[in-house]
């Protein structure tokens, strides 16, 4: 029978995942949606025939209504949803970040280890994007030589009112903190955040764009332009510099239109379309693995490492000083 997924949080990402599981993912269906906001809950339930609504995850667990849980609440609520789901021994796909600081991530690691097996996959979906996978393969096979530098750009047209200065790191750069070491095959050892001239179109409470510099253990240098008021569209690109070549991913593609004196290709408006394939691949892979009692993507340990990078990233965002990352040895449980 189908794997029954409980989606917790029916905001933008949660609602998107409900539609995805219902229409695209095979072998699974949404059996429960959890959200304390009645209007959001009712809207999401319309996209999931047969699913039941709950205000609290505990109520869905008490009724044994789910075989696995997809957590798509805001990050600060993740820990309180993760812990009861771990106690129930359920496979979990947790949207990024795992939690919003290293201490709470560490508590989650301990709770997961107490269950005796890895139950958590973290929603760093870029690892499931076809072009990111191709680039990782190019790094590994050294067809163009060794990787020397990565030049990344992460641009959003605008951000919601809930987005704060720290969100530049905790909500946005969090993706590069996961995907860069995965691409390069080497962990981040230090980082530094610099401010560009302030974009006059950014909301009053924000100061951006920023430039994040990272150094990896193997000497690869990484620069990232993080920009959340670029207006024109959503764009995430990477240029990789090798001994004897460069590679670019995330460039605009699709139909080119010559019209009214210009030529061009349509841009994405937000991440739900830019990373649609990545999200589809991620959720399908999670469902297939969960049915076998395993995970097949970024682990809670990856989530912990990223939480440490975010903590140092926020510190550097606030005082401009470089930071080194102090990550403990990977526990045997996660090897
Ligand atoms: C958002 O939360 C995401 O996860 C997107 O992938 C990212 O591009 C955006 O900047 C974040 O706010």
């Amino acid at each position: 029978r189908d794997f029954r997924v409980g989606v917790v949080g029916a905001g933008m990402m949660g609602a998107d995942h409900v539609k995805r599981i219902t229409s695209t993912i095979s072998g699974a269906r949404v059996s429960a949606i959890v959200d304390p906001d009645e209007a959001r809950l009712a809207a999401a339930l319309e996209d999931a025939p047969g699913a039941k609504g709950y205000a609290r995850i505990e109520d869905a667990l008490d009724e044994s209504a789910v075989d696995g849980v997809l957590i798509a609440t805001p990050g600060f609520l993740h820990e309180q949803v993760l812990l009861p789901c771990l106690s129930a021994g359920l496979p979990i796909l947790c949207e990024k970040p795992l939690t919003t600081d290293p201490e709470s991530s560490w508590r989650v690691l301990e709770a997961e280890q107490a269950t005796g097996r890895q139950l958590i996959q973290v929603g760093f979906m870029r690892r499931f994007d076809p072009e990111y996978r191709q680039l990782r393969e190019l790094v590994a096979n050294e067809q163009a030589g060794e990787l020397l530098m990565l030049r990344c750009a992460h641009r959003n047209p605008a951000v919601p009112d809930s987005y704060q200065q720290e969100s530049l790191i905790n909500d946005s750069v969090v993706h590069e903190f996961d995907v860069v070491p995965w691409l390069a095959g080497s962990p981040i050892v230090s980082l530094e955040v610099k401010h560009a001239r302030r974009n006059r179109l950014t909301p009053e409470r924000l100061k951006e764009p920023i430039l994040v510099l990272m150094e990896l253990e193997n000497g690869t240098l990484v620069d990232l332009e993080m920009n959340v008021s670029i207006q024109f569209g959503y764009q995430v690109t990477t240029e990789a510099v090798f001994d004897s070549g460069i590679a670019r991913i995330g460039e605009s593609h699709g139909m080119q239109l010559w019209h009214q004196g210009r030529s061009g290709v349509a841009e994405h408006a937000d991440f739900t379309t830019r990373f649609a394939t990545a999200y589809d691949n991620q959720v399908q892979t999670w469902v297939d693995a969960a049915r076998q009692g395993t995970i097949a993507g970024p682990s809670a340990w990856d989530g912990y490492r990223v939480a440490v990078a975010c903590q140092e990233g926020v510190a550097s965002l606030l005082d401009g000083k470089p930071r080194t990352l102090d990550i403990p040895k990977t526990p045997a449980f996660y090897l």
Side-chain angles (χ1 to χ4, degrees):
R1 80 179 159 86
D2 278 346
F3 183 76
R4 297 169 309 155
V5 181
V7 176
V8 186
M12 180 176 177
M13 268 331 289
D16 195 50
H17 284 310
V18 166
K19 291 200 189 90
R20 166 172 299 106
I21 294 166
T22 305
S23 61
T24 311
I25 302 300
S26 61
R29 68 180 169 90
V30 178
S31 60
I33 303 179
V34 182
D35 199 303
D37 184 296
E38 283 176 24
R40 261 200 319 248
L41 182 61
L45 283 168
E46 284 188 17
D47 289 319
K52 186 170 168 189
Y54 298 88
R56 303 165 51 237
I57 179 65
E58 286 81 358
D59 299 332
L61 298 179
D62 286 347
E63 290 182 16
S64 301
V66 302
D67 302 315
V69 181
L70 194 163
I71 304 177
T73 65
F76 72 93
L77 295 170
H78 286 180
E79 183 185 11
Q80 70 189 65
V81 182
L82 281 161
L83 295 178
C85 295
L86 286 172
S87 298
L90 293 173
I92 300 160
L93 176 59
C94 180
E95 269 297 342
K96 44 64 49 174
L98 177 61
T99 70
T100 45
D101 60 82
E103 292 71 32
S104 52
S105 284
W106 191 263
R107 289 195 290 273
V108 170
L109 291 179
E110 288 182 332
E112 184 179 45
Q113 291 173 63
T115 73
R117 68 187 177 99
Q118 286 192 51
L119 290 169
I120 302 172
Q121 181 173 323
V122 183
F124 291 121
M125 78 299 181
R126 291 191 190 179
R127 296 193 190 194
F128 295 90
D129 175 74
E131 290 186 25
Y132 269 105
R133 294 186 93 102
Q134 240 182 317
L135 181 57
R136 184 171 190 252
E137 182 54 36
L138 184 64
V139 172
N141 68 26
E142 298 193 359
Q143 193 193 326
E146 276 189 338
L147 176 68
L148 311 177
M149 289 193 264
L150 289 172
R151 327 286 313 268
C152 312
H154 184 168
R155 303 179 175 125
N156 292 211
V159 282
D161 292 345
S162 56
Y163 197 97
Q164 298 299 323
Q165 184 68 2
E166 288 78 11
S167 313
L168 285 163
I169 301 293
N170 291 334
D171 233 48
S172 300
V173 178
V174 63
H175 285 289
E176 278 81 11
F177 284 161
D178 176 68
V179 87
V180 161
W182 176 82
L183 271 180
S186 182
I188 304 169
V189 289
S190 64
L191 57 79
E192 177 174 358
V193 179
K194 288 187 144 338
H195 287 266
R197 290 183 77 183
R198 181 172 177 278
N199 182 344
R200 288 169 303 169
L201 301 174
T202 206
E204 201 56 27
R205 63 187 186 279
L206 301 181
K207 181 163 188 282
E208 54 95 25
I210 56 172
L211 190 66
V212 183
L213 302 171
M214 295 167 237
E215 190 168 347
L216 308 189
E217 193 175 71
N218 69 6
T220 305
L221 270 193
V222 184
D223 65 71
L224 162 67
E225 172 203 326
M226 185 69 237
N227 199 323
V228 298
S229 311
I230 198 74
Q231 314 292 319
F232 75 85
Y234 183 84
Q235 190 180 62
V236 174
T237 60
T238 306
E239 180 174 287
V241 181
F242 296 90
D243 293 325
S244 59
I246 62 164
R248 286 192 187 148
I249 61 167
E251 303 289 311
S252 323
H253 51 244
M255 182 180 75
Q256 204 177 339
L257 173 67
W258 286 263
H259 182 55
Q260 294 182 335
R262 294 184 171 274
S263 78
V265 177
E267 261 303 345
H268 289 285
D270 65 46
F271 41 90
T272 57
T273 61
R274 165 64 177 86
F275 287 110
T277 307
Y279 288 121
D280 289 352
N281 293 344
Q282 166 186 256
V283 175
Q284 187 68 62
T285 305
W286 171 66
V287 166
D288 295 346
R291 299 184 79 165
Q292 307 297 318
T294 132
I295 65 161
S299 67
W301 179 251
D302 294 313
Y304 172 76
R305 284 204 303 217
V306 170
V308 174
C310 284
Q311 174 176 268
E312 300 307 325
V314 168
S316 184
L317 175 78
L318 299 179
D319 70 10
K321 296 196 182 123
R323 290 290 192 300
T324 52
L325 301 195
D326 185 16
I327 314 254
K329 246 178 76 211
T330 311
F333 184 82
Y334 294 103
L335 288 173

